[in-house]
């Protein structure tokens, strides 16, 4: 497995310090983020999943803990929109240039507005997808926010 992806190149170019962590990706896992957390031996709330959604017809990227679900109402509110829904997997792959299970918020083919769950910002280090299945990057969430120019907001469902 290559540890150099568009995501890691984007982080390096932005001067963000990170470490790569590889694991055995299970394509049959019911919840990819939880499987990644278990495989690397980390708490699920520190392993963030990257989701692609549509907000009022426009694409957005959402980063939340792998053990939580996104509230579409909170997502829409965070961006000042009216309604949001998850993007179809094929559309997410086409937009980001990554495969489902390997979608990173970094180095997407077309960078879109990004939101990070506020609770993730309290962690000293978090894991995010590194741009391919079985690759995570470990970094400071504040560095991730700066690199993505992301907004931080409460996004998880109650």
């Amino acid at each position: 497995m290559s540890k150099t992806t568009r995501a890691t190149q984007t982080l390096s170019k932005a001067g963000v310090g990170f470490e790569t962590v590889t694991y055995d990706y299970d394509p049959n896992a019911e919840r990819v983020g939880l499987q990644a957390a278990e495989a690397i031996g980390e708490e699920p709330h520190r392993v963030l999943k990257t989701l692609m959604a549509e907000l009022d017809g426009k694409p957005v990227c959402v980063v939340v803990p792998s053990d939580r679900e996104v509230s579409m109402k909170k997502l829409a509110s965070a961006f000042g929109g009216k309604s949001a829904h998850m993007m179809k997997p094929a559309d997410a792959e086409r937009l980001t240039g990554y495969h489902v299970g390997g979608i990173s918020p970094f180095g997407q083919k077309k960078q879109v507005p990004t939101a990070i769950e506020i609770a993730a910002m309290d962690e000293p280090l978090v894991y995010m997808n590194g741009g391919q299945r079985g690759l995570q990057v470990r970094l400071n969430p504040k560095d991730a926010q700066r690199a993505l120019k992301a907004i931080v907001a409460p996004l998880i469902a109650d």
Side-chain angles (χ1 to χ4, degrees), residues 87-98 100 103:
M87 190 178 285
K88 292 178 182 155
D91 293 340
E93 289 183 340
R94 193 171 29 262
L95 180 76
T96 64
Y98 294 123
V100 169
I103 293 178

Side-chain angles (χ1 to χ4, degrees), residues 20-83:
T20 57
V21 178
T22 59
Y23 66 97
D24 289 329
Y25 173 80
D26 179 0
N28 300 313
E30 194 172 313
R31 295 179 67 186
V32 174
L34 292 179
Q35 187 265 324
E38 185 176 330
I40 64 175
E42 187 55 76
E43 294 291 325
H45 68 274
R46 282 199 273 283
V47 179
L48 308 181
K49 59 185 174 183
T50 304
L51 304 170
M52 301 303 294
E54 290 183 14
L55 173 72
D56 298 337
K58 302 241 190 280
V60 293
C61 180
V62 188
V63 181
V64 297
S66 62
D67 60 347
R68 303 304 299 265
E69 297 299 320
V70 176
S71 162
M72 291 298 138
K73 191 174 190 173
K74 289 180 182 179
L75 175 60
S77 176
F79 281 110
K82 292 185 177 156
S83 69

Side-chain angles (χ1 to χ4, degrees), residues 9 18 27 76 95 110 137-138 141:
Q9 290 171 334
F18 66 94
L95 180 76
K110 180 180 183 206
V137 290
R138 186 173 92 162

